[in-house]
């Protein structure tokens, strides 16, 4: 365990490493940790970079590095405790390490870089067939291959039901498991990612809609004098981001091609803003005419939902001053930014930056409209 005396309370960082089953690293390793940067983004693979002091006669350079302790595919779990509450920030694999040797004492460093456990799903291409299985059942079949790493499926059925028709078409996977699962998620307006925790060695594999309902995290306060918890917060409204997709479907019996009706995106993206924003662009989806009607409707809904977020925010905060670790891929409220931009947001990404005496987070937020839908924002 490694103490970083920060602000009014210590931040504890625990590192665990191993080939598959992990165990706490030697105390000399945590004492040599100079900095840690961990990034988690909605719909993308998470990553980390750790920097260690590479003392000439230390245990890292003398024994651990030559014996393969930091070799690629070594599993690494990072746990942080703030004011007694533990949170697993990362569970992944080392993919690379670099040594920076210096003539000046104390300036040699070891930098270790890695990615989350979805890397395991991206190492081998395979060809598999999934007869009579809808997309969610195919995802479950794939995720079961990785249960030995503590990965638990958190899979949701599709918003547009797509019953399989083996007599018409058998679905094939060509490529890696990660490519296929991600492709199925995008085709249904879903997201796929691994959420580490709640205990070290466990991860939840979410294949479903983004979390835009439920309990909000503690609010980000800006421009509120002593109650401010955010150092800076910048908002933008991009009017060209939202698209109105159009899709045609051809009836195989009549050969008649019709334009599918515009779907409501609320099942995938419950509105967070009071004033919706219009779509300035109109796009035609290709290839939908020959699909099953349900599949074409799912693609139309997915495209409309993905482009809906035209309002974005970015900023940074001090975790100790804020009092809580901001979690990515969940909801949070904003206070103090004015009538147009106050209210609830989806936390799209968070980058944790930890150094001795400092725990900062950089974050990005998004939603589809302006103004808060409610006068109340959770403090």
């Amino acid at each position: 365990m490694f103490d970083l005396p920060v602000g009014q309370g210590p931040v504890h960082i625990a590192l665990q490493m191993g080939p598959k089953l992990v165990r706490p690293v030697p105390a000399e390793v945590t004492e040599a940790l100079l900095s840690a940067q961990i990034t988690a983004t909605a719909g993308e693979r998470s990553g980390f970079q750790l920097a260690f002091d590479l003392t000439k006669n230390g245990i890292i350079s003398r024994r651990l590095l030559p014996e393969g302790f930091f070799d690629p595919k070594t599993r690494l779990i990072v746990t942080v405790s703030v004011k007694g509450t533990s949170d697993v920030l990362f569970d992944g694999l080392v993919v690379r390490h670099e040594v920076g040797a210096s003539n000046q004492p104390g300036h040699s460093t070891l930098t270790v870089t890695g990615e989350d456990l979805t890397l395991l799903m991206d190492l081998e291409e395979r060809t598999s067939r999934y007869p009579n299985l809808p997309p969610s059942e195919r995802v479950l079949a794939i995720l079961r291959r990785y249960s030995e790493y503590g990965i638990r499926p958190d899979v949701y059925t599709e918003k547009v039901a797509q019953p399989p028709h083996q007599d018409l078409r058998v679905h094939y996977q060509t490529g890696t498991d990660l490519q296929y699962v991600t492709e199925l998620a995008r085709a249904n307006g879903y997201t796929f990612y691994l959420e580490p925790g709640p205990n070290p060695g466990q991860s939840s594999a979410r294949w479903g809609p983004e979390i835009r309902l439920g309990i909000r995290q503690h609010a980000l306060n800006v421009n509120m004098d002593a109650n401010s918890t955010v150092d800076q917060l910048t908002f933008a409204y991009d009017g060209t981001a939202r698209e109105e997709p159009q899709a045609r479907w051809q009836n195989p019996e009549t050969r008649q091609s019709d334009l599918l009706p515009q779907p409501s995106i609320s099942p995938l993206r419950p509105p967070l803003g009071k004033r919706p924003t219009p779509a300035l662009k109109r796009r035609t989806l290709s290839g939908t005419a020959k699909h099953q009607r349900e599949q074409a409707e799912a693609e139309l809904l997915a495209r409309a939902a993905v482009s809906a977020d035209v309002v974005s925010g970015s900023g940074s905060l001090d975790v100790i001053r804020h009092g809580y670790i901001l979690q990515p891929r969940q909801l949070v409220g904003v206070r103090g930014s004015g009538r147009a931009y106050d209210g609830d947001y989806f936390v799209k990404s968070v980058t944790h930056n930890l150094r001795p005496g400092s725990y900062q987070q950089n974050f990005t937020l998004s939603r589809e409209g302006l103004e808060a839908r409610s006068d109340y924002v959770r403090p």
Side-chain angles (χ1 to χ4, degrees):
M1 192 70 72
F2 171 46
D3 281 359
L4 290 173
V6 181
Q8 300 174 348
V11 173
H12 303 270
I13 299 180
L15 302 179
Q16 295 172 282
M17 296 179 69
K20 183 180 297 182
L21 298 175
V22 298
R23 59 183 180 181
V25 301
E28 294 90 336
V29 174
T30 48
E31 290 170 358
L33 182 64
L34 299 174
S35 65
Q37 184 179 76
I38 298 167
T39 300
T41 304
E44 296 181 14
R45 187 182 298 167
S46 300
F48 75 88
Q49 190 168 76
L50 305 181
F52 297 92
D53 181 8
L54 198 60
T55 304
K56 189 173 182 179
N57 295 317
I59 187 174
I60 295 178
S61 60
R62 180 168 43 85
R63 184 166 65 83
L64 297 181
L65 197 56
E67 294 178 359
F69 190 79
F70 295 97
D71 277 4
K73 213 182 174 186
T74 299
R75 190 175 184 180
L76 184 145
I77 297 176
V78 181
T79 304
V80 172
S81 298
V82 179
K83 296 181 179 179
T85 302
S86 296
D87 190 28
V88 181
L89 289 189
F90 195 83
D91 186 353
L93 304 174
V94 174
V95 296
R96 167 190 183 95
H97 69 243
E98 300 174 37
V99 170
S102 173
N103 291 326
Q104 300 182 25
H107 282 70
S108 295
T109 58
L110 168 68
T111 303
V112 181
T113 305
E115 300 176 354
D116 71 24
L117 292 178
T118 58
L119 176 64
L120 293 167
M121 304 173 63
D122 206 24
L123 296 178
E124 179 185 352
E125 293 185 343
R126 66 176 88 224
T127 301
S128 302
R129 60 194 300 270
Y130 301 96
N132 272 333
L133 289 180
S136 56
E137 294 293 331
R138 285 175 248 161
V139 173
L140 278 172
I142 292 172
L143 292 177
R144 291 191 190 103
R145 299 171 184 151
Y146 303 94
S147 59
E148 60 184 347
Y149 278 85
I151 296 175
R152 307 179 313 278
D154 182 19
V155 175
Y156 293 73
T157 55
E158 304 78 29
K159 293 297 182 186
V160 179
Q162 298 160 60
H165 299 286
Q166 187 176 351
D167 52 331
L168 296 177
R169 183 177 182 181
V170 175
H171 295 279
Y172 282 89
Q173 169 190 347
T174 57
T176 67
D177 287 345
L178 181 63
Q179 289 170 339
Y180 189 59
V181 168
T182 303
E183 177 187 326
L184 290 175
R186 287 176 179 163
N188 287 277
Y190 281 3
T191 184
F192 175 68
Y193 60 87
L194 294 188
E195 186 70 40
N199 300 310
Q202 298 177 335
S203 292
S204 174
R206 183 178 177 91
W207 189 88
E210 293 181 344
I211 300 175
R212 297 193 178 225
L213 290 172
I215 299 175
R216 276 61 171 161
Q217 301 181 71
H218 291 278
L220 305 174
N221 300 328
V222 66
N223 197 24
M224 294 179 65
D225 299 325
N227 293 321
S228 296
T229 58
V230 179
D231 296 328
Q232 60 175 353
L233 197 47
T234 304
F235 290 98
Y237 172 13
D238 183 359
T240 62
R242 186 166 191 173
E243 299 177 353
E244 180 184 291
Q246 295 188 322
R248 286 192 170 277
W249 179 74
Q250 186 180 58
N251 189 321
E253 297 178 355
T254 64
R255 314 299 291 178
Q256 178 74 31
S257 177
D258 297 316
L259 200 62
L260 294 176
Q262 282 295 312
S264 167
I265 64 170
S266 294
L268 285 178
R269 303 284 178 107
L272 299 174
K274 181 179 179 181
R275 181 158 68 89
T277 53
L280 301 184
K281 293 181 179 177
R282 184 172 293 173
R283 300 286 188 192
T284 301
L285 304 184
S286 60
T288 55
K290 301 296 183 183
H291 291 171
Q292 295 175 26
R293 183 181 177 100
E294 299 88 346
Q295 187 180 358
E297 290 175 340
E299 289 187 25
L300 182 63
L301 173 61
R303 186 63 173 268
V306 167
S307 70
D309 285 347
V310 300
V311 178
S312 62
S314 61
S316 62
L317 63 84
D318 184 306
V319 170
I320 298 305
R321 185 153 55 95
H322 181 54
Y324 305 92
I325 297 176
L326 182 65
Q327 302 291 346
R329 304 158 180 149
Q330 297 184 23
L331 295 176
V332 69
V334 170
R335 303 192 301 177
S337 60
R339 177 182 166 189
Y341 292 103
D342 273 1
D344 296 327
Y345 285 84
F346 179 71
V347 183
K348 201 160 189 65
S349 72
V350 170
T351 298
H352 309 261
N353 295 293
L354 295 113
R355 294 178 179 276
S358 172
Y359 184 1
Q360 300 281 330
Q361 287 184 301
N362 298 325
F363 58 85
T364 60
L365 314 173
S366 66
R367 74 180 183 195
E368 81 301 326
L370 295 170
E371 299 188 45
R373 290 181 62 83
S374 169
D375 294 333
Y376 175 77
V377 176
R378 184 191 181 194

